[in-house]
Amino acid sequence: MSLSVLMDSSSPTILLHPSIEPRDETGSVLFDPSKLQKQSSLPSEFIWPCGDLVHTQEELNEPLIDLGGFIKGDEEATAHAVDLVKTACSKHGFFQVTNHGVDSNLIQAAYQEIDAVFKLPLNKKLGFQRKPGGFSGYSAAHADRFSAKLPWKETFSFGYQGLNSDPSVVHYFSSALGEDFEHTGWIYQKYCEKMRELSLVIFELLAICLGIDRLHYRKFFEDGNSIMRCNYYPPCNNSGLTLGTGPHSDPTSLTILHQDQVGGLEVFINNKWYAVRPRQDAFVINIGDTFMALCNGRYKSCLHRAVVNKERERRSLVYFVCPKEDKIVRPPQDLMCRSGGPRVYPDFTWSDLLDFTQNHYRADVATLQSFFPWLLSSNPTANF
């Protein structure tokens, strides 16, 4: 199956019953799983093209990296981790890490706390809905942004500023959801702090893999403003016709994901989809578009998706690592000197790419390729 087939826009042939799904005053579908599950047919907005729905039973053989030895400075363990990460990032950009330093009780608490948010009545969740052009808040199937190929999921997102001593996550939960969720805010404040610590460790490992100053990427991302997203994928009677998240590559720099044991994350490699096995003690790491630019295309930002289950709900916790908005994204000079090749991508800032994906473009496999012509048209003096 070629990528052109995968991205085909044709829809499956299916008979639809008259639409009875809940809608808002603008006519947009309201994602209320309790009501949608009672319908015999799936609303057309949730039906994806046949090429995107190809099923897989094969698992991705991504490496499982034990970070314990690397964190302690063990040379043999570091060399082994470097070999595994180099290979994975050159092929597809996905690997998993264990002994990462994040307490399992904190991970479990994060799931328990966010369950309470997703179980709120729909009208309450819509009270802290994401604002147009922003990323913080609740989203029901992204129906506020798109009208077709809607994902079968709910999300709750918010920002995290790593060098800010102010507990910004706690303040966001208290102001957006109310004082009853202050404890939830503290759990996620701690969770984001641990995600930041883990991301900086991984950036050191990636720098060693690329043969540059070990601290280069760590310093670049230390003052970054990252994004935390919690995903809830309800069961779907017509799970074979829809997706929880459509095929895309992440526009951010690095993604740190924990998925529950239901599974659903899949990666597209060599014209085939492969499932990523859930591991309770591991985080899934994948390279994003921004880091692909930061390493001049040496490591891959790979197409991936999330499928939904017919009988079981699925949850995941995703931390998107981003640089500070005004930092110039360009590969380090010592990497360019070592490789001797030309620049693959022009300079840009994360704020420009974030604006592009939030207001002008739906992230897919061609986000970066589409971003640069837009950037040039909006800023003719850009350094191309």
Side-chain angles (χ1 to χ4, degrees):
M1 177 182 60
S2 67
L3 191 58
S4 61
V5 173
L6 174 80
M7 304 306 289
D8 183 12
S9 61
S10 61
S11 297
T13 301
I14 180 172
L15 292 175
L16 297 177
H17 297 286
S19 176
I20 58 171
E21 64 272 2
R23 294 181 179 271
D24 63 18
E25 63 276 4
T26 68
S28 299
V29 65
L30 283 173
F31 186 63
D32 188 343
S34 63
K35 293 181 179 178
L36 292 174
Q37 282 290 78
K38 296 175 183 177
Q39 296 185 200
S40 59
S41 63
L42 195 67
S44 59
E45 290 92 337
F46 292 97
I47 296 177
W48 284 70
C50 292
D52 292 336
L53 296 170
V54 177
H55 183 64
T56 183
Q57 292 183 328
E58 294 187 58
E59 282 192 350
L60 179 67
N61 188 28
E62 80 284 4
L64 185 63
I65 314 295
D66 184 340
L67 286 180
F70 174 72
I71 292 172
K72 293 175 183 176
D74 182 281
E75 292 185 5
E76 185 177 346
T78 296
H80 183 57
V82 166
D83 286 343
L84 293 174
V85 171
K86 268 185 180 180
T87 302
C89 289
S90 298
K91 289 182 177 179
H92 48 67
F94 274 78
F95 56 96
Q96 299 204 43
V97 296
T98 59
N99 289 323
H100 37 64
V102 184
D103 193 296
S104 60
N105 291 325
L106 178 59
I107 298 171
Q108 209 48 45
Y111 277 117
Q112 291 171 355
E113 292 294 326
I114 206 63
D115 282 347
V117 174
F118 287 125
K119 288 177 181 176
L120 289 170
L122 181 59
N123 65 322
K124 288 192 177 295
K125 289 184 285 191
L126 292 176
F128 49 87
Q129 187 173 21
R130 182 179 59 192
K131 299 293 189 293
F135 61 81
S136 295
Y138 171 77
S139 176
H142 297 336
D144 56 318
R145 291 191 64 192
F146 311 115
S147 58
K149 297 196 296 185
L150 297 183
W152 190 266
K153 68 175 178 180
E154 299 175 78
T155 68
F156 182 69
S157 309
F158 50 90
Y160 172 70
Q161 299 175 321
L163 287 183
N164 190 351
S165 59
D166 186 48
S168 57
V169 176
V170 179
H171 294 329
Y172 177 75
F173 270 82
S174 296
S175 61
L177 282 74
E179 295 300 325
D180 289 346
F181 285 90
E182 180 179 351
H183 177 71
T184 306
W186 278 112
I187 293 295
Y188 274 94
Q189 181 77 37
K190 295 173 184 175
Y191 189 88
C192 288
E193 289 168 1
K194 298 303 291 186
M195 291 298 100
R196 176 178 179 270
E197 292 174 14
L198 176 57
S199 73
L200 296 179
V201 168
I202 294 170
F203 282 129
E204 286 192 39
L205 179 57
L206 289 170
I208 295 172
C209 292
L210 290 163
I212 64 171
D213 175 15
R214 174 175 179 149
L215 298 180
H216 176 83
Y217 292 125
R218 182 184 183 98
K219 292 176 181 177
F220 186 83
F221 284 97
E222 273 183 334
D223 58 354
N225 300 326
S226 295
I227 300 169
M228 182 73 211
R229 175 169 295 164
C230 307
N231 294 316
Y232 172 68
Y233 303 89
C236 179
N237 292 331
N238 294 284
S239 58
L241 297 175
T242 191
L243 290 170
T245 303
H248 70 287
S249 58
D250 294 334
T252 48
S253 297
L254 194 73
T255 302
I256 305 177
L257 173 141
H258 192 278
Q259 55 178 338
D260 65 15
Q261 296 305 294
V262 175
L265 175 62
E266 297 181 353
V267 183
F268 192 71
I269 306 166
N270 297 326
N271 291 329
K272 290 180 67 175
W273 286 107
Y274 294 87
V276 178
R277 178 186 297 184
R279 299 180 186 273
Q280 199 164 9
D281 62 340
F283 286 98
V284 179
I285 312 296
N286 70 272
I287 301 296
D289 292 344
T290 300
F291 191 83
M292 185 166 64
L294 281 168
C295 68
N296 204 41
R298 289 274 297 277
Y299 291 164
K300 308 303 180 187
S301 176
C302 195
L303 192 71
H304 55 284
R305 68 181 185 183
V307 299
V308 291
N309 193 284
K310 187 173 183 177
E311 299 173 347
R312 301 175 66 187
E313 63 181 13
R314 176 179 179 259
R315 302 163 301 161
S316 65
L317 308 173
V318 194
Y319 185 80
F320 296 108
V321 186
C322 313
K324 195 174 180 181
E325 282 87 346
D326 59 354
K327 281 198 173 179
I328 303 297
V329 176
R330 66 164 66 101
Q333 191 59 41
D334 50 347
L335 178 65
M336 297 308 300
C337 290
R338 286 174 61 87
S339 65
R343 283 281 300 274
V344 177
Y345 306 103
D347 290 352
F348 64 93
T349 63
W350 166 239
S351 61
D352 283 332
L353 182 54
L354 180 63
D355 174 39
F356 180 64
T357 57
Q358 291 297 309
N359 296 297
H360 305 281
Y361 192 82
R362 185 173 186 172
D364 59 15
V365 70
T367 301
L368 273 189
Q369 294 93 315
S370 303
F371 166 61
F372 293 122
W374 172 85
L375 182 62
L376 183 59
S377 66
S378 60
N379 182 14
T381 61
N383 182 22
F384 275 61

